[in-house]
Structures are given as structure tokens and as C-alpha cells.
Amino acid sequence: MKVNRPLTIFSILSITLCTFAAHADKTKVLFVAGKKSHGYFAHEHNAGSLLLAKLLNASGLDFEASVYHNPENPGWPQDKSLLEGIKAVVIYCDGGERHVANNHVGAIDALQAKGVGVGCLHYGVETVDGAPGDAFLRWIGAYYQLYKSVNPHWTPKFEKLPDHPVANGVKPFSINDEWYFNMRFRKDMEGVTPILSAIPPIDLLPEKDHHHNSTPDGRAAVARRDLQHVMWVSENENGSRGFGFTGGHWHDNWLDDNLRKVVLNAIGWIANKEIPQDGIPSVTPTLEELMRNQDYPPNPSKIREDRYADIRRKK
């Protein structure tokens, strides 16, 4: 006959320690999602962050991903406890002078000095020259520099992928997005590895100068047929890691299995996670899942029918 014996202090302690160890083994990732921006289904900082965090947590790879989003007072987390124990911070926000990191360079430097990885998505790769720009070079190896870089909507073909863990399981693909290029990289690309690269069409940029849409330096790069890096990773002097991903304008582009995988891989990599040979797994989101947590009231016409729809969905 089986006898249920009472738990001893030693068995209780063992259970407690095992529970603590299981929690401690989790790889904590914090997304910092900026304010609402471009209208329904574009620049969905909060909805995109929540989706990516959910996919990481469901991957079976012991992630503990969460999202900080304060619509009333968007910016860097004021509660320092949210930053305790994190292995990576991923910033998805409006850039330039409005970037949430601009006034918190010291705080992010302190995290990075502890080995915390920094990743920036879409507009979040753009900052201003000076202390913030220099910090981005330290954190992620590059940034979108006003009057140099450009931000056209186009459909690059990513035909060759590097032998790098962030490319694990990612197949060649092509998708329309607002892919920025002509970035300001570290001198000689030191410590920087391009992940997604393509040559822009010769007629992509308008001839008229514009601080974002068309710069003389950007047009010259296109004319030279320079290979442009629209996603990259960095290994930094202090041992930390970073990445920049310039896509992420269209919220429904997270439906693309390869685009989604390469971003999830990058997040895991900057958190010093071993990336599986086939990449970090995720289930393709449903349209219902995509429509959750939007910043604006539903507007179904924005999902497909806009001035980019004819090229946006092509593979």
C-alpha cells in the first residue's frame, strides 16, 4: 500500500530551489514599445512587440519576454525593476529626435556593460548625431543618419544569407517594406555582420533632395550599385551584442515566415541564446491575432488596399 508521507523541510527546500532554478534559467527579454505613430496596421510598435514576445514565449526555448508600453507617457521604463535580469532589450519606436533612447544613453550603456543585448526595429534604428548616434554605434553598430540614409518602400530580394546563427533556418525571400539603407556604420564595419542585403533598383529614389526620401549620398550609392545592408548584427567591444532591422513598417509582414524568423533569431542571439539549426520556431499568426492590440480603430482597408498593395505582397 502506498503511503503519502508529509513533506520534510529538505524536500520543501529542494522543490523551492528547483522552482527557482527553472525560473532563473529563463532568458528575459524586454520590448520597449513607443507611442502610436503612422495609422492602422503600420508602425504598430505595441502590437508588433506583443506579437513577437508571445512567439518567443511559445517557442519552447525558455524565453520570458515582456513588453513595456505606456501610451500616456511613452518612453524608457521608469520602473527599474523591469530591467532587472534582462538579457536583451528590443526597441520598437519612432526615431530621430523622438527616439525613446536619446535621453537614456547612460542607462542603456550600463545595461550593455553587463552584457545585455540591444536590438532596434524599423524607425527605432534612426537617432540623431552626437551622443545618441555614437551610442548606437556602440550598441548596434550603425544607425539611420539624417541627410545621409534613405527610407523608400521597395521589394528587395534577399538571395544570399550569411553563415551566421541569426540566419539559421531562413530561406531566401523577398517582401515589400520601408527598408532603410545607406546607413552610417562603424568605421570599416568593425564587428558588424550584414544579415539581409540587396541592391536597390536604379530608379528607386526621386531626384529631388529630401532629408528622408532622397539624399545626394543615397542616390550616389544607388548609382554605384552598392550592396545595401538593411539588417545587421554587431559584436561589441565589451562583449555585448546588438542588431538593427530596418523593416517592420507593415504590421502584416509578420505573416512572412522568413522575415519573422530572422527577427526572432536576432533577438535570441543578442540575448546570448543558442539558436537552433532551423532557427527559432513560431506559428504563422492568424489575421485575427494581427488585428489585436492595435493603436488605432480597425480600418480593414489599410490591411491590403493601399498604394503599396500591388507590390507589398509579392514573394
Side-chain angles (χ1 to χ4, degrees), residues 70-112:
N70 185 343
E72 284 75 34
N73 185 25
W76 189 250
Q78 299 301 304
D79 182 355
K80 294 183 179 179
S81 67
L82 297 174
L83 304 170
E84 292 177 1
I86 64 171
K87 299 299 183 183
V89 59
V90 181
I91 306 172
Y92 199 3
C93 68
D94 280 352
E97 294 181 350
R98 301 189 296 273
H99 202 291
V100 301
N102 287 349
N103 296 322
H104 301 280
V105 168
I108 300 173
D109 274 339
L111 288 173
Q112 200 201 33

Side-chain angles (χ1 to χ4, degrees), residues 282-312:
S282 66
V283 176
T284 306
T286 64
L287 187 58
E288 180 185 0
E289 288 177 298
L290 286 180
M291 295 177 71
R292 294 173 186 163
N293 306 304
Q294 301 293 306
D295 289 328
Y296 291 88
N299 184 351
S301 68
K302 291 292 185 181
I303 298 175
R304 306 282 179 180
E305 302 298 330
D306 54 49
R307 62 196 178 105
Y308 304 107
D310 60 332
I311 56 175
R312 175 160 51 127

Side-chain angles (χ1 to χ4, degrees), residues 34-93:
K35 65 181 182 180
K36 64 181 183 180
S37 179
H38 276 47
Y40 188 71
F41 245 57
H43 284 227
E44 289 291 353
H45 304 138
N46 185 45
S49 296
L50 287 168
L51 176 64
L52 292 172
K54 177 183 177 182
L55 294 173
L56 285 173
N57 290 338
S59 69
L61 298 176
D62 290 326
F63 282 100
E64 185 181 325
S66 59
V67 178
Y68 172 78
H69 177 63
N70 185 343
E72 284 75 34
N73 185 25
W76 189 250
Q78 299 301 304
D79 182 355
K80 294 183 179 179
S81 67
L82 297 174
L83 304 170
E84 292 177 1
I86 64 171
K87 299 299 183 183
V89 59
V90 181
I91 306 172
Y92 199 3
C93 68

Side-chain angles (χ1 to χ4, degrees), residues 125-168:
V125 303
E126 180 184 330
T127 189
V128 294
D129 292 333
D134 292 342
F136 273 55
L137 293 176
R138 293 195 299 274
W139 301 338
I140 67 171
Y143 68 97
Y144 183 109
Q145 186 175 42
L146 206 61
Y147 300 103
K148 177 186 189 304
S149 307
V150 288
N151 66 342
H153 288 259
W154 58 302
T155 311
K157 295 180 179 180
F158 304 121
E159 297 175 323
K160 294 182 179 180
L161 295 159
D163 183 13
H164 190 280
V166 171
N168 283 2

Side-chain angles (χ1 to χ4, degrees), residues 123-298:
Y123 202 178
V125 303
E126 180 184 330
T127 189
V128 294
D129 292 333
D134 292 342
F136 273 55
L137 293 176
R138 293 195 299 274
W139 301 338
I140 67 171
Y143 68 97
Y144 183 109
Q145 186 175 42
L146 206 61
Y147 300 103
K148 177 186 189 304
S149 307
V150 288
N151 66 342
H153 288 259
W154 58 302
T155 311
K157 295 180 179 180
F158 304 121
E159 297 175 323
K160 294 182 179 180
L161 295 159
D163 183 13
H164 190 280
V166 171
N168 283 2
V170 182
K171 300 176 183 178
F173 69 103
S174 178
I175 192 168
N176 181 271
D177 208 315
E178 189 182 28
W179 295 104
Y180 308 159
F181 65 87
N182 205 40
M183 314 298 288
R184 181 184 172 188
F185 285 97
R186 286 178 188 159
K187 184 179 179 181
D188 301 324
M189 300 283 285
E190 185 176 355
V192 175
T193 300
I195 300 296
L196 298 179
S197 306
I199 297 176
I202 194 70
D203 59 350
L204 180 62
L205 302 179
E207 287 299 320
K208 186 177 180 180
D209 286 350
H210 186 276
H211 60 285
H212 271 103
N213 297 343
S214 182
T215 64
D217 198 68
R219 292 195 300 274
V222 171
R224 291 193 302 267
R225 316 304 292 137
D226 290 350
L227 186 67
Q228 296 293 338
H229 312 307
V230 301
M231 182 184 188
W232 62 91
V233 297
S234 70
E235 296 180 82
N236 309 322
E237 286 187 1
N238 61 6
S240 66
R241 294 172 172 180
F243 81 85
F245 172 77
T246 72
H249 178 92
W250 299 120
H251 188 59
D252 60 349
N253 276 354
W254 298 120
L255 291 171
D256 189 282
D257 292 339
N258 289 296
L259 181 143
R260 197 173 63 253
K261 185 182 289 286
V262 77
V263 172
L264 293 175
N265 285 353
I267 296 169
W269 183 79
I270 66 168
N272 282 287
K273 197 82 168 176
E274 184 175 349
I275 308 303
Q277 193 64 38
D278 292 332
I280 293 178
S282 66
V283 176
T284 306
T286 64
L287 187 58
E288 180 185 0
E289 288 177 298
L290 286 180
M291 295 177 71
R292 294 173 186 163
N293 306 304
Q294 301 293 306
D295 289 328
Y296 291 88

